[in-house]
Amino acid sequence: GSWPASTQGSGFYGVNYRYNSQGTGADKAIWRFTVVDGGQYELFATWAPGGNRASNAAYQVMHKNGTTPVIVNQNISNGSWNSLGQFEFDSGVHTVILTDLADGRVIADAVKLEPIIVMPNQPPVWGSIPSAAANVGEGFSLNMSEYVSDPDSSVLIYKKISGPAWISISTYGLLSGIPSPGDAGVSEVIIEADDLAGGKSQGTVSINVNQPNPVVLDVRIFDRSSQIEKTERMLTFNPL
């Protein structure tokens, strides 16, 4: 069908635009363009807005995954390029169609594609983890999520890679456990943070497990053979 050129109004691209009156959908404006590098793109269109324009101008976008209808209100415009949405295009020739099936004058001006830059996923980043202290027979806990961040703001999950059997870690990063006397000394625990998008990294914390404090007892002993009473100092430990 006929799509006459016009320069009335503003907001259009270049020296003019095409238009058509309200119709049955038989008249179509067609844009064909070649995509060199396949991928994700955002599609934009321009038109000269006005009171007699269609409030339901119907574009059809043909892309890798099929055809998507996009309805726009051409009474209004943001003054430049209006987004029709984001689509995936293969390399090759693609088509956008605008028909006259609408409730007012339909404006066919320009369309353009802009590639969507997808940043690669970044792994979690561990900060400085201070040494921790635990006591034999006492509960210990340390929130490892306080020492790691994710550049992509992803939710992280955690697991223990290595370390003593007495300590475990929750999915959300809480180290906890109760050391026994055989665990006294310095242990290193390696924790992995996973962003569930392919990014993983490990952090290490040193835990110094202390023996319980001894209890000092002064014991009075009476030697019957010598008839001498003496005092001896003994060290004992709290039962675990």
Side-chain angles (χ1 to χ4, degrees):
S2 175
W3 291 76
S6 176
T7 59
Q8 293 183 358
S10 61
F12 56 90
Y13 181 82
V15 297
N16 59 23
Y17 60 88
R18 301 280 178 169
Y19 70 91
N20 209 328
S21 299
Q22 177 181 349
T24 63
D27 289 348
K28 301 176 181 179
I30 300 174
W31 294 263
R32 290 187 176 90
F33 49 90
T34 300
V35 174
V36 176
D37 297 318
Q40 290 285 337
Y41 289 83
E42 187 165 8
L43 178 65
F44 296 86
T46 57
W47 56 80
N52 66 343
R53 309 304 198 233
S55 66
N56 60 346
Y59 290 86
Q60 297 177 49
V61 182
M62 300 177 185
H63 50 86
K64 177 181 178 179
N65 300 311
T67 300
T68 299
V70 181
I71 307 300
V72 302
N73 182 2
Q74 292 190 337
N75 292 156
I76 58 177
S77 172
N78 64 12
S80 57
W81 294 98
N82 304 275
S83 177
L84 300 183
Q86 297 181 359
F87 308 94
E88 185 175 2
F89 293 96
D90 286 324
S91 58
V93 178
H94 295 272
T95 304
V96 174
I97 298 174
L98 177 64
T99 76
D100 64 349
L101 181 60
D103 59 6
R105 177 171 290 184
V106 180
I107 307 300
D109 190 22
V111 298
K112 75 169 181 177
L113 288 178
E114 289 188 357
I116 297 173
I117 306 301
V118 179
M119 298 299 294
N121 181 61
Q122 300 294 316
V125 177
W126 289 91
S128 177
I129 306 174
S131 297
N135 295 319
V136 168
E138 298 180 9
F140 167 84
S141 65
L142 178 66
N143 189 356
M144 295 297 290
S145 67
E146 296 180 357
Y147 304 104
V148 64
S149 61
D150 189 77
D152 307 301
S153 300
S154 300
V155 175
L156 302 177
I157 63 170
Y158 300 83
K159 71 176 181 179
K160 187 176 79 171
I161 300 300
S162 66
W166 68 269
I167 196 162
S168 62
I169 190 166
S170 71
T171 303
Y172 300 101
L174 183 66
L175 273 179
S176 61
I178 301 175
S180 62
D183 299 313
V186 178
S187 298
E188 286 194 342
V189 183
I190 299 177
I191 301 300
E192 180 180 85
D194 186 344
D195 66 8
L196 299 180
K200 300 178 182 181
S201 62
Q202 296 179 356
T204 302
V205 59
S206 294
I207 303 174
N208 185 21
V209 178
N210 302 307
Q211 289 280 8
N213 293 325
V215 176
V216 180
L217 298 177
D218 288 334
V219 180
R220 299 179 66 83
I221 300 174
F222 180 74
D223 188 342
R224 291 181 178 274
S225 61
S226 63
Q227 299 294 304
I228 296 175
E229 184 177 288
K230 58 184 178 180
T231 300
E232 292 188 359
R233 176 157 294 184
M234 300 178 61
L235 299 180
T236 187
F237 293 87
N238 291 325
L240 300 178

